[in-house]
Amino acid sequence: MFSPVRWREDALEILDQTELPWKEVWRELRSWEDAAEAIRKMRVRGAPLIGIVAAYGLVLAVGEHQAGKEREVQFWQALEGLKGTRPTAVNLFHALERLRKVFERHRDSPGLRDLLLAEARAIHREEVQACRAMGRLGATLLPNRAKVVTICNTGALATGGYGTALGVVRAAWEEGKLSMVYPLETRPRLQGARLTAWELLREGIPFRLIADSAAGWLLVTEKIDAVLVGADRIARNGDTANKIGTYTLAVLARRHGVPFYVVAPTSTIDPSLPTGAGIPIEERDEGEVLSPYGMRFAPVGAPAWNPAFDVTPAELITAIITERGILWPPFSESIGSILS
Ligand code: MRU
């Protein structure tokens, strides 16, 4: 199973996603600061993978030969530093919280680093297992010869292996049920064009990339069976934050009577938020819009607004596919029942 991160002795190796699809560059992260930089600069991205790398980042913060006060200071500093990398994906905070609990329980143990590493590995393993389960469940919702639309990259690159929405695509393909995927290129960072297309090509899954602005016309001219998207944070009522443009797709799907499925592990649910109104939406540098990957399109001096995510209200979501089952509206009840 392909994974974009691997632990090697005392370092984390990551496939640098800012270099894809042009080059496959593996980088070694040796400190928590390296891990924080990789998350902030989106060398690794996607909600589950951000959580996984942050967890390994905390392992890197606890030096093998450190002890006592020095180790403690370093751990809390790393925890705060990693928390500040990207605000929207709640998986980051859930993963850090799991490592914090291990630290609190074993802070004086000489085996602390190994215990933290075991927890980081468990998070990684569980995310991949969740993806496989969601893939199987999601594929049951698709008809034979399905044509689906997706946004951003929700594959192995975003999750540590297999994928969420792209995991459903993968499972449907494995079962011989898929006829075509239409990934949106996903401006401004082009995760669809660069990363999803890279994954689909490697797997031999049939696809046609479309410009974000072609989604509406696609739904008019093709019989699309489902829109499949991932999530960065889901509130208790089902409101879902995901890559900017997801809300637009949900409105289009409703207009055309196409089922709109969110595919996300339970680590993406934020039980502390009653609705999506409280989800922090990351705003990134305007340069990403003005000159993506160094290619300047707007005139010098033009300003831009660059929200990285939007929130799709629960009323536009047909179902949420999690590893613990398919959740149907009313989501306040179905989400409540799997969390209890
Ligand atoms: O800004 P990114 O690339 O980290 O955004 C990723 C997404 O929006 C994904 O759809 C989401 O994290 C779910 S990935 C399994």
Side-chain angles (χ1 to χ4, degrees), residues 7 12 31-33 35-36 39 50-63 66 71-83 92-103 112-113 116-117 119-120 123:
W7 181 264
L12 183 68
S31 64
W32 74 262
E33 289 94 339
I39 296 171
I50 291 170
I52 292 164
V53 172
Y56 283 118
L58 278 183
V59 179
L60 293 168
V62 175
Q66 273 177 344
R71 184 157 85 172
E72 189 136 336
V73 169
Q74 178 78 358
F75 182 86
W76 295 122
Q77 209 180 351
L79 187 76
E80 287 311 308
L82 287 160
K83 267 188 196 166
L92 168 69
F93 304 94
H94 286 161
L96 292 174
E97 181 58 12
R98 280 179 63 168
L99 275 272
R100 187 192 64 78
K101 282 188 181 148
V102 174
F103 182 84
L112 175 66
R113 197 173 200 252
L116 291 172
L117 179 58
E119 189 70 0
I123 292 171

Side-chain angles (χ1 to χ4, degrees), residues 42 45-48 86 152 154 158-159 164 191 230-232 242-243 309:
M42 296 176 68
R45 28 68 51 205
R86 294 195 71 192
C152 197
T154 59
T159 55
T164 55
Q191 291 95 326
D232 285 80
N242 191 49
K243 181 50 54 197
F309 300 96

Side-chain angles (χ1 to χ4, degrees), residues 127-162:
E127 289 293 10
V128 178
Q129 281 166 354
C131 285
R132 286 202 171 273
M134 291 184 288
R136 272 192 304 274
L137 282 172
T140 64
L141 296 172
L142 299 180
N144 279 330
R145 300 207 47 73
K147 290 183 182 170
V148 302
V149 175
T150 191
I151 185 169
C152 197
N153 171 267
T154 59
L157 290 170
T159 55
Y162 207 73

Side-chain angles (χ1 to χ4, degrees), residues 146-201:
K147 290 183 182 170
V148 302
V149 175
T150 191
I151 185 169
C152 197
N153 171 267
T154 59
L157 290 170
T159 55
Y162 207 73
T164 55
L166 213 62
V168 173
V169 167
R170 217 179 281 269
W173 173 247
E174 285 162 5
E175 290 171 23
K177 286 179 88 173
L178 189 90
S179 137
M180 184 59 71
V181 194
Y182 293 93
L184 270 61
E185 59 178 359
T186 318
R187 284 268 285 140
R189 295 289 299 226
L190 296 165
Q191 291 95 326
R194 295 188 305 107
L195 308 177
T196 300
W198 183 81
E199 287 199 42
L200 292 171
L201 271 179

Side-chain angles (χ1 to χ4, degrees), residues 35 39 117 190 214 234 249 271 281 316 327:
I39 296 171
L117 179 58
L190 296 165
I234 302 174
L249 263 185
I281 297 297
L316 295 178
L327 311 181

